[in-house]
Amino acid sequence: MSDVSPTGLTAVDDVEGGGHTLVFSSRLVMAANTSLQLSLLFAFLYLRANNFGAMWHPSGVGTPPQVLALVSLAFPLIALVALWAVRSAVSKSRESGALSGLLGLALLAAILTGAVRILLMYQFNWTLDSAGTYADIATLWYAVMLAEFIGVGLWLLSLTMGHVRGTDRLSTSHARAILEQWTYITGVSIAVYLLVQYVT
C-alpha cells in the first residue's frame, strides 16, 4: 500500500476509485474537441480561400482589439501555471493548505479568463449581418472557446469547493485531468488568436 497523501487517497485508492477511467474519459473529450476545432479551422480557411461574393473581409472590418485579445490569453496562462503547481503538489504530497491556495489562484485566474473573454467579444464592433464571413466564423470560434473555458472553470470550481470543504479531497487523477483539459484549451485559444489576428 502506498503512503497516504494529504488528498486523503493513496495511489491505489486513486486507481480503484476510477482514476484511470477519469483521465481516459478526459482524453476522449479532448479527442472529440479536436474534431470540433478542426471543423472550425476548415470552415475558416475554406471561407477565406473562396471569398464568396467578396464577403470574406469587407472594407472597414478590423481584427479584434489586439491588447485586449492578448490580455485574454494572459489569464489562462496564469491558471495553467497554477494548475501545474496543483498537480505537482498533489503528486508530492504537500500540505493541504498550500494546495487550497493554489486551487484558489487557479480558480481566480479561470474566472478572470471568462470575464475578459466576454468583454473582448463585446469589443469586436462587428455587425454580423454585414461584417462578412471572417467576422462570422471568428465570432463563432471565440464563442466556442469561451464556452469551453467556462465549462472547465465550473469543473475547477467544483473540485476547489470539494477540497476546501473537505468533502472530496483532490485526487491525483482529478489534478492531472483538469490540467490536461486546461492546457489543451489554452493551446487552442492561442492558435485561434494567431489565426484570427493575422490570417485575415
Side-chain angles (χ1 to χ4, degrees):
M1 182 69 70
S2 303
D3 294 335
V4 178
S5 72
T7 64
L9 293 174
T10 63
V12 174
D13 291 332
D14 201 17
V15 172
E16 291 177 350
H20 285 319
T21 302
L22 172 65
V23 173
F24 180 71
S25 300
S26 175
R27 290 175 180 174
L28 284 179
V29 170
M30 287 190 287
N33 194 3
T34 299
S35 298
L36 171 62
Q37 300 300 332
L38 289 176
S39 297
L40 291 168
L41 175 62
F42 172 79
F44 187 95
L45 296 178
Y46 178 79
L47 291 169
R48 182 180 186 273
N50 287 277
N51 191 23
F52 295 104
M55 279 301 295
W56 164 251
H57 198 174
S59 61
V61 176
T63 57
Q66 190 167 20
V67 173
L68 191 55
L70 286 171
V71 171
S72 74
L73 296 177
F75 289 115
L77 291 173
I78 294 171
L80 178 59
V81 172
L83 287 172
W84 176 84
V86 166
R87 173 71 175 88
S88 178
V90 171
S91 63
K92 294 179 180 178
S93 302
R94 292 179 183 167
E95 62 273 14
S96 184
L99 185 56
S100 296
L102 290 170
L103 281 168
L105 175 61
L107 179 60
L108 176 61
I111 292 170
L112 291 173
T113 294
V116 171
R117 294 187 81 87
I118 290 172
L119 177 63
L120 173 63
M121 293 190 67
Y122 277 102
Q123 302 302 313
F124 286 167
N125 295 319
W126 290 337
T127 303
L128 295 183
D129 59 351
S130 61
T133 49
Y134 164 76
D136 293 343
I137 191 64
T139 300
L140 174 62
W141 213 342
Y142 269 95
V144 167
M145 296 312 304
L146 172 61
E148 293 188 2
F149 274 120
I150 290 175
V152 179
L154 290 173
W155 182 20
L156 177 58
L157 174 62
S158 174
L159 294 177
T160 302
M161 295 303 295
H163 183 81
V164 170
R165 292 176 177 175
T167 57
D168 188 13
R169 293 292 183 182
L170 187 68
S171 67
T172 54
S173 57
H174 275 102
R176 181 177 180 181
I178 197 164
L179 173 61
E180 289 181 353
Q181 287 285 342
W182 194 268
T183 301
Y184 178 90
I185 60 175
T186 298
V188 172
S189 69
I190 292 172
V192 171
Y193 162 78
L194 293 173
L195 196 69
V196 171
Q197 203 74 35
Y198 299 109
V199 183
T200 61

